[in-house]
Amino acid sequence: MSGGSRGHFVYLWGIAGHPELSPAVRSLADDGWEIVVPSVAGFDGEPGFVAPDDHLGWLTMFWDALDATSALPCPVIGASIGGMVAAELAALRPEAVTALGLVAPFGIGDADHPGFDLFAVPAPQRMEHLFAKGVPEAFANRFGERGDEEAPVSRYLCDVAAAGMVWPLGERGLGNRLRRISCPKVVIWGDQDELMPPSRIERWGGGTVIAGAGHLAEWDAPAGVVAALRTVLA
């Protein structure tokens, strides 16, 4: 892997999949970083997807995809469900992660304050609950390049994959494994996150809460997210 002038890092996307790089990640590319985004079944919207039976199955699928990139060890940035996978990677395979950036990660639930259930509303309404400043075109028309017949199927498969990873409360016992994370780490949360109240950042040891940002804060407030991520990527 050639890498950018600063090297490379892995990016793991959020609960709505990865239609394109966010403004925050593009800013880091402008800094000289090469961005490695693995392809994972389900989230790629391709037919034939069968969801794993349990959390370990999901991690195995993601880790196989990561290993196929030959990118590790390197910094890993994960948003939402991608943050959960990134944190698990840093906790259970510490030699693979040199720095960790987490944007509103799932993995530690709160039964008293569960947040908004994205999959309890009809599919056309889901995207508006992820952002504080309007739905970006990339998400409003996910998989649109596949045409009117295939795009809805791809969106459905992506949502099935995401729901399978976080249902019912996004609790995967990660709070018991945080002590195993030894690399530099930053946790970022939007103060208008509907899915998980920003107070949940304290369960991750604290971090940076960004004003005017929803669950996918890297789209709502890219400058603030980039500034926080640079503290560990440096």
Side-chain angles (χ1 to χ4, degrees), residues 8-13 25 28 33-38 62-63 66-67 69 71-79 81-91 93-103 105 181 183-188 229 232-233:
H8 66 270
F9 66 79
V10 162
Y11 171 74
L12 298 175
W13 56 91
V25 176
L28 294 172
W33 290 94
E34 179 185 355
I35 319 302
V36 179
V37 184
F62 266 84
W63 291 359
L66 282 165
D67 290 339
T69 68
L72 303 175
C74 68
V76 179
I77 294 173
I81 56 173
M84 176 175 69
V85 174
E88 293 280 25
L89 187 70
R93 293 178 58 186
E95 76 286 351
V97 183
T98 60
L100 185 63
L102 305 175
V103 184
I181 297 177
C183 64
K185 169 175 71 78
V186 65
V187 183
I188 305 161
L229 291 174
V232 292
L233 289 176

Side-chain angles (χ1 to χ4, degrees), residues 96-122:
V97 183
T98 60
L100 185 63
L102 305 175
V103 184
F106 278 89
I108 301 178
D110 185 346
D112 294 328
H113 302 92
F116 182 78
D117 183 355
L118 188 68
F119 301 105
V121 299

Side-chain angles (χ1 to χ4, degrees), residues 4-182:
S5 61
R6 291 180 178 268
H8 66 270
F9 66 79
V10 162
Y11 171 74
L12 298 175
W13 56 91
I15 197 168
H18 178 63
E20 64 180 48
L21 289 176
S22 70
V25 176
R26 289 200 301 270
S27 290
L28 294 172
D30 292 340
D31 285 351
W33 290 94
E34 179 185 355
I35 319 302
V36 179
V37 184
S39 177
V40 178
F43 293 96
D44 61 7
E46 294 295 335
F49 167 67
V50 177
D53 293 330
D54 53 28
H55 188 52
L56 183 58
W58 280 109
L59 292 183
T60 300
M61 189 166 72
F62 266 84
W63 291 359
D64 285 348
L66 282 165
D67 290 339
T69 68
S70 300
L72 303 175
C74 68
V76 179
I77 294 173
S80 180
I81 56 173
M84 176 175 69
V85 174
E88 293 280 25
L89 187 70
L92 300 177
R93 293 178 58 186
E95 76 286 351
V97 183
T98 60
L100 185 63
L102 305 175
V103 184
F106 278 89
I108 301 178
D110 185 346
D112 294 328
H113 302 92
F116 182 78
D117 183 355
L118 188 68
F119 301 105
V121 299
Q125 300 175 21
R126 290 173 188 161
M127 295 301 100
E128 64 192 65
H129 295 282
L130 299 179
F131 307 94
K133 297 180 178 179
V135 180
E137 176 59 27
F139 289 90
N141 192 31
R142 289 184 300 161
F143 299 105
E145 72 281 359
R146 299 188 180 182
D148 293 341
E149 293 186 2
E150 293 188 20
V153 176
S154 295
R155 288 193 290 268
Y156 170 77
L157 291 173
C158 183
D159 288 352
V160 166
M165 290 189 69
V166 301
W167 188 89
L169 297 173
E171 171 60 65
R172 293 295 179 264
L174 249 168
N176 299 321
R177 296 185 285 279
L178 289 185
R179 58 183 175 79
R180 295 180 54 89
I181 297 177
S182 56

